[in-house]
Amino acid sequence: LLQAMRIKTYSKPILPDAKIDKILRIIKRIYFIFIILGVLYYIGVLISLITGEVIDKTQRIYDLEGLITLVVYVIIYIGLKIKKKWVIPLVLIGSSFSLIRTIIGIVVPSENIEMVVHKFISIFLLLFFGYQLSFFLRREVKNLFNEQGVIFFQ
């Protein structure tokens, strides 16, 4: 009966292990770049505090949020490096929150050229975090990390 109706089912093509490894290397490099940029930023914040520059309350909240994000990126990078199964739920949750933050940042009206540049960079981040969601939900990737979906995702 199904053949008579010619129902097409669409499934993702299976990625070969070499392709998965290449994509994982690229993702790890991107996280490493995020970590380096975050460390450089916080060195600048530390220098500002040492020189006595006054940081307003709003900026301190953003700095705390950024510090938490930096710690999560370091944990994700280490988890990807050693291929632990707990990293997949962490990447999926982190990417979901990052997608939401990025979308909110894009839809807020721009007040100056700095915000326009920020939106341009945010579009690339949107693509990166969206691709991560798609990539880490693949069965082949879960198998590589020996993740069975027992925590959140199956």
Side-chain angles (χ1 to χ4, degrees):
L1 181 66
L2 288 177
Q3 287 179 342
M5 294 173 50
R6 294 182 187 236
I7 297 176
K8 291 185 178 181
T9 58
Y10 297 98
S11 63
K12 295 178 186 176
I14 296 176
L15 288 175
D17 288 343
K19 182 84 169 172
I20 292 173
D21 288 337
K22 181 179 178 183
I23 294 169
L24 281 174
R25 275 195 312 273
I26 292 169
I27 290 174
K28 284 189 276 189
R29 286 179 187 152
I30 292 171
Y31 273 110
F32 186 74
I33 291 169
F34 287 167
I35 292 167
I36 294 299
L37 291 174
V39 168
L40 290 174
Y41 173 77
Y42 283 104
I43 289 173
V45 169
L46 188 60
I47 290 171
S48 296
L49 290 174
I50 290 172
T51 59
E53 186 178 321
V54 179
I55 299 175
D56 65 346
K57 200 173 202 174
T58 306
Q59 186 60 40
R60 283 187 281 177
I61 292 170
Y62 285 131
D63 288 345
L64 179 61
E65 178 188 6
L67 187 61
I68 292 169
T69 303
L70 179 63
V71 170
V72 170
Y73 287 169
V74 169
I75 293 170
I76 288 173
Y77 179 77
I78 292 169
L80 290 173
K81 198 87 168 152
I82 58 178
K83 292 186 178 170
K84 291 295 187 178
K85 65 181 175 181
W86 50 261
V87 79
I88 290 182
L90 184 60
V91 167
L92 293 174
I93 292 169
S95 291
S96 299
F97 282 118
S98 296
L99 273 173
I100 292 168
R101 283 181 43 220
T102 304
I103 290 170
I104 290 170
I106 289 174
V107 298
V108 171
S110 299
E111 297 175 359
N112 53 30
I113 191 69
E114 182 181 314
M115 289 183 73
V116 172
V117 171
H118 182 267
K119 287 178 188 286
F120 182 72
I121 293 169
S122 294
I123 290 170
F124 290 108
L125 292 175
L126 189 70
L127 294 172
F128 172 69
F129 292 121
Y131 183 76
Q132 274 193 132
L133 284 175
S134 171
F135 180 72
F136 283 100
L137 284 172
R138 296 182 75 90
R139 185 175 315 272
E140 308 91 71
V141 177
K142 289 180 179 182
N143 289 341
L144 181 67
F145 284 83
N146 294 320
E147 203 271 328
Q148 305 299 319
V150 291
I151 298 176
F152 292 109
F153 310 99
Q154 292 209 13

